[in-house]
Amino acid sequence: TMSKNWWFAAAAAVALLLAAIWVSQLPPKSKEIQSGIASKEIVLEDQSIVTLNENSRIKYIPETFAEEGIAREVSFSGEAYFEVAHNPEKPFIVTTNDVKVEVLGTKFLVRTFVDKPTEVLVTEGKVKVTYLKNGESYILTAREQLSTDKEETLQVSPSDMNKLYWKTGIIEFPGTPLD
């Protein structure tokens, strides 16, 4: 009976070892956050702050924000303001259905809804926006915005800061006399 117990213990140890190896090979779990009918502020693992406007959704893998040498990537739909923690070793990438925004550390708005042009508006720093349909890319700096159009081209213009009203509560009236 002692030899039967030994074989049983050895088989159990091998089974546990195989289970541990299998679990360690599973892909990391992604996290999805939706805002519902109100805006929602989220602090990511790298201390970047994302403010989702209503009816918006972000999805990412939290473990990748801590691993060295791996980009911080999120997929996104809706409207959100990003305040990205500076880390040149780990680029921050936001992917929508039609653009990819690459950042090192900045503040910017992304608005992407089905059947509407995607917009990226930079308030601080700079971002690289790549149009996924044709690979075209632009570097946007502070107070510039980019939007896609039906002809599948990117339009760059001075930013309309009033698009951030839902976040800032401020409306600008440039060139309008106050009298």
Side-chain angles (χ1 to χ4, degrees), residues 76-79 96-98 110-114 116-119:
F76 172 74
S77 66
E79 183 173 22
T96 72
N97 61 333
D98 61 350
V110 177
R111 179 186 284 174
T112 179
F113 293 102
V114 178
K116 289 188 177 179
T118 295
E119 296 177 310

Side-chain angles (χ1 to χ4, degrees), residues 45-66:
E45 284 68 9
D46 67 344
Q47 301 308 303
S48 293
I49 299 168
V50 180
T51 307
L52 297 174
N53 201 354
E54 57 191 26
N55 302 315
S56 299
R57 179 176 53 88
I58 189 171
K59 186 175 183 181
Y60 66 104
I61 300 172
E63 289 82 17
T64 62
F65 280 67

Side-chain angles (χ1 to χ4, degrees), residues 49-50 56 71 89 92 96 103 112-113 119 121 132-133 140 144 156 163 167 172:
I49 299 168
V50 180
S56 299
E89 303 299 316
F92 192 97
T96 72
V103 188
T112 179
F113 293 102
E119 296 177 310
L121 183 151
L132 299 177
K133 293 183 178 174
L140 288 181
E144 284 186 323
V156 178
K163 291 180 179 179
K167 164 95 172 107
E172 294 182 0

Side-chain angles (χ1 to χ4, degrees), residues 107-161:
K107 297 179 182 180
F108 61 100
L109 171 81
V110 177
R111 179 186 284 174
T112 179
F113 293 102
V114 178
D115 299 329
K116 289 188 177 179
T118 295
E119 296 177 310
V120 179
L121 183 151
V122 178
T123 58
E124 283 182 24
K126 65 182 175 181
V127 300
K128 177 182 177 186
V129 181
T130 303
Y131 193 35
L132 299 177
K133 293 183 178 174
N134 63 14
E136 190 177 358
S137 64
Y138 282 96
I139 303 288
L140 288 181
T141 57
R143 298 194 73 87
E144 284 186 323
Q145 71 183 37
L146 175 144
S147 60
T148 61
D149 63 22
K150 289 183 175 152
E151 289 78 42
E152 298 190 0
T153 60
L154 302 177
Q155 307 294 321
V156 178
S157 61
S159 52
D160 177 0
M161 298 307 281

Side-chain angles (χ1 to χ4, degrees), residues 59-89:
K59 186 175 183 181
Y60 66 104
I61 300 172
E63 289 82 17
T64 62
F65 280 67
E67 292 179 34
E68 287 300 316
I70 297 177
R72 302 168 286 171
E73 296 189 51
V74 300
S75 60
F76 172 74
S77 66
E79 183 173 22
Y81 185 71
F82 293 83
E83 298 173 64
V84 178
H86 183 73
N87 186 344
E89 303 299 316

